[in-house]
Amino acid sequence: MLTFILRRLLFAIPTLIAISIVAFIIIQLPPGDYLSTLMADLASQGGAVEEGTVAALRERFGLDQPIYIQYLKWVSSIVLYGDFGISFELNRPVTEVIWGRLGFSFLLACLTLCFVWALAIPIGIISAVRQYSITDYSLTFIAFFMLAVPDFLLALVSMYVLSSYFGLSVGGLFSPQYTDAPWSLGRLWDFASHVWLPVFVIGIGSLAALVRIMRANLLDELHRPYVTTARAKGMSELELLLRYPVRMALNPLISTLGWILPAVVSGEIIVSVVMSLPTTGPLLLRALLSQDMYLAGSLILLISVLTVIGTLISDVLLAITDPRIRLQ
């Protein structure tokens, strides 16, 4: 297992290098750069910037150099010093800007994954065991309906209903008095009372998809010969269901962890903007709009790292749950 993990980590290095190159090039594709965007904004407001000032800023940020030089400087600083560069718009180190928000994004992603798996597995089992029943049709309808509802619309409707009819505080992850307060039991409880709504809104789309995956996988397993053999030997239905078909049906579900983890992080961008969440979503959107290339590139690179980590975790979990994979 250790050799397998080390080999996957070595394979991840060229993957991340390729992703960083593609991300950096895509960020550079729109015409102009951060200074061009800044000058356009100032011009629209009736202001102006002297050419000498623009040239000095372009030299300071390294925007007067070829794109491959900019990329090499950025990557070498990350590898050698852990320096992700300077945010042009905020004029602060990227690491200082993103680490606090990245922590909330990762915590929100983990809570969302726990919520999705805790509901998708039992709902998928019930839907498969009661195939073509009213329960199955009802769960299928709800799953497809939730899958079709946009996250931002669900966020807006949920916030309106909870605020107007129940008087609950919605938006953000903390109440105003706990926003900048140090961690305590009161702040932790306030966080728990706010975080459940973003977790529900962000996870509902993935939940609907995983319910369908679990149902389809379990239906395939329930018609296998080993299930008939186990029934013929007198094994109870519940023990049979949990010991064999459910365990085998979990394999494709576990393999989806590789794309669910980054999808949750990147999928909360619009939800974070709507709900005013202090995560990386609004920061990434702002960086892309202002062409703040080091900030945007660093966030995209970190999301890619989550993809690699999610894939590695799913492979390890598959090897633990399925002995056949360990033999291979």
Side-chain angles (χ1 to χ4, degrees), residues 60-81:
R60 174 190 174 190
F61 293 135
L63 298 176
D64 57 338
Q65 298 175 343
I67 182 174
Y68 65 91
I69 298 295
Q70 297 179 35
Y71 169 77
L72 290 176
K73 285 186 176 181
W74 177 57
V75 170
S76 60
S77 297
I78 293 176
V79 175
L80 297 178
Y81 308 108

Side-chain angles (χ1 to χ4, degrees), residues 20 22 52-53 60 62 64 73 97 133 135 169 221 226 294 303:
S20 66
V22 173
T53 304
R60 174 190 174 190
D64 57 338
K73 285 186 176 181
V97 173
S133 65
T135 303
S169 174
E221 295 297 327
Y226 70 84
Y294 291 138
I303 292 175

Side-chain angles (χ1 to χ4, degrees), residues 163-184:
S163 177
S164 300
Y165 295 97
F166 297 95
L168 297 179
S169 174
V170 293
L173 294 178
F174 299 99
S175 300
Q177 64 269 26
Y178 286 106
T179 300
D180 298 319
W183 282 102
S184 61

Side-chain angles (χ1 to χ4, degrees), residues 95 97-111 173-174 183 191 195 265 268 278-280 283 299 302 306:
T95 51
V97 173
I98 65 175
W99 285 130
R101 289 176 174 261
L102 189 65
F104 282 121
S105 290
F106 188 74
L107 178 60
L108 194 60
C110 292
L111 292 175
L173 294 178
F174 299 99
W183 282 102
F191 172 76
V195 76
V265 175
E268 50 90 20
T279 59
T280 57
L283 200 62
L299 289 172
L302 290 172
L306 285 179

Side-chain angles (χ1 to χ4, degrees), residues 246-264:
V246 169
R247 184 179 176 185
M248 294 298 102
L250 284 176
N251 286 359
L253 199 69
I254 294 174
S255 65
T256 61
L257 182 63
W259 60 265
I260 285 182
L261 186 58
V264 167

Side-chain angles (χ1 to χ4, degrees), residues 34-53:
Y34 167 71
L35 293 180
S36 302
T37 305
L38 177 62
M39 293 175 62
D41 290 341
L42 289 175
S44 65
Q45 297 172 8
V49 180
E50 296 181 359
E51 288 297 328
T53 304

Side-chain angles (χ1 to χ4, degrees), residues 30 109 133 142 144 149 194 212 264 277 284 299 309 314:
S133 65
I142 294 173
F144 278 115
V149 175
H194 282 78
R212 303 304 302 164
V264 167
L277 302 180
L284 177 58
L299 289 172
I309 293 175
S314 66

